[in-house]
Amino acid sequence: WLDSAVLPNHEQWEHDGIVPRSAWEDAGTRGFLGLSVPETYGGGGTDDFRFAAVMSEEIGMTGVVGGGHGFTVHNDIVLPYILSLANEEQKQRWLPGMVSGKLIGALAITEPNTGSDMGGIKTTAIRDGDEYVINGQKTYISNGQSSDVIVLVCKTDPQRPREAISLILVETDRVGFSR
């Protein structure tokens, strides 16, 4: 699949700055997304990281950057956060789409003028009733241009700016979100 579907398109994807959703859905159809996601949500149901390691090695051997790296971020960074931190309703809402490639995940840490120093990030999420009001900017986000769900690193307590670092899952179709 990497040789026939990813490599021939990689240069164009890099030029466009985005891996098309059709490639994600193809990866999902072939079982390449959500290896560690339980079968009840459509995933591979394995807790053996060696499967993910083999996939990462195969992607690495192709030399692709955007397409391959994005699948790894989705599978090995974003999905584990959702698996370990989301409640059941959230898992049912997001995991099947992420396994199928219909929803793409990203992790947003890096900020302009801060880099990836989580203690120095400026993005805040302040509770306002039943929701959080998020303000800030992120940059260099793998899958950022195509993502539907972003694990966002932010500060949630202005009184403890270096300690109160939280992860909030942001759906990119929310009012106020822009790329």
Side-chain angles (χ1 to χ4, degrees), residues 27 38 48 52 72 103 109 123 170:
D48 188 339
T72 302
L103 295 177
I109 300 173
T123 299
V170 176

Side-chain angles (χ1 to χ4, degrees), residues 30 42 49 79 92 123 179:
R30 295 170 185 275
F49 192 74
L79 280 170
Q92 289 178 15
T123 299
R179 298 181 210 269

Side-chain angles (χ1 to χ4, degrees), residues 54-137:
V54 168
M55 183 174 286
S56 293
E57 287 177 4
E58 291 293 325
I59 291 169
M61 287 190 294
T62 67
V64 300
V65 180
H69 174 69
F71 297 137
T72 302
V73 167
H74 177 89
N75 278 334
D76 303 337
I77 298 175
V78 178
L79 280 170
Y81 278 125
I82 295 171
L83 286 167
S84 64
L85 300 174
N87 63 35
E88 184 59 29
E89 182 273 327
Q90 293 166 327
K91 289 177 183 179
Q92 289 178 15
R93 182 173 173 177
W94 296 313
L95 291 176
M98 294 180 81
V99 168
S100 71
K102 292 185 185 318
L103 295 177
I104 301 169
L107 174 66
I109 300 173
T110 307
E111 294 186 357
N113 303 315
T114 301
S116 297
D117 169 19
M118 287 199 280
I121 63 171
K122 307 281 188 261
T123 299
T124 60
I126 307 300
R127 187 176 276 287
D128 182 13
D130 290 340
E131 58 190 24
Y132 283 93
V133 176
I134 300 171
N135 286 295
Q137 296 178 337

Side-chain angles (χ1 to χ4, degrees), residues 32 35 37 65 74 82 113 115 139 158 160 163 176 179:
F32 296 147
L35 298 171
V37 173
V65 180
H74 177 89
I82 295 171
N113 303 315
T139 189
R160 301 179 318 126
E163 297 86 24
R179 298 181 210 269

Side-chain angles (χ1 to χ4, degrees), residues 8-77:
N9 297 300
H10 179 254
E11 189 174 319
Q12 185 64 50
W13 298 347
E14 287 294 302
H15 177 267
D16 296 343
I18 193 167
V19 176
R21 193 159 298 269
S22 60
W24 283 91
E25 291 178 5
D26 191 25
T29 297
R30 295 170 185 275
F32 296 147
L33 302 177
L35 298 171
S36 63
V37 173
E39 291 178 24
T40 56
Y41 305 108
T46 182
D47 61 358
D48 188 339
F49 192 74
R50 290 178 290 183
F51 290 101
V54 168
M55 183 174 286
S56 293
E57 287 177 4
E58 291 293 325
I59 291 169
M61 287 190 294
T62 67
V64 300
V65 180
H69 174 69
F71 297 137
T72 302
V73 167
H74 177 89
N75 278 334
D76 303 337
I77 298 175

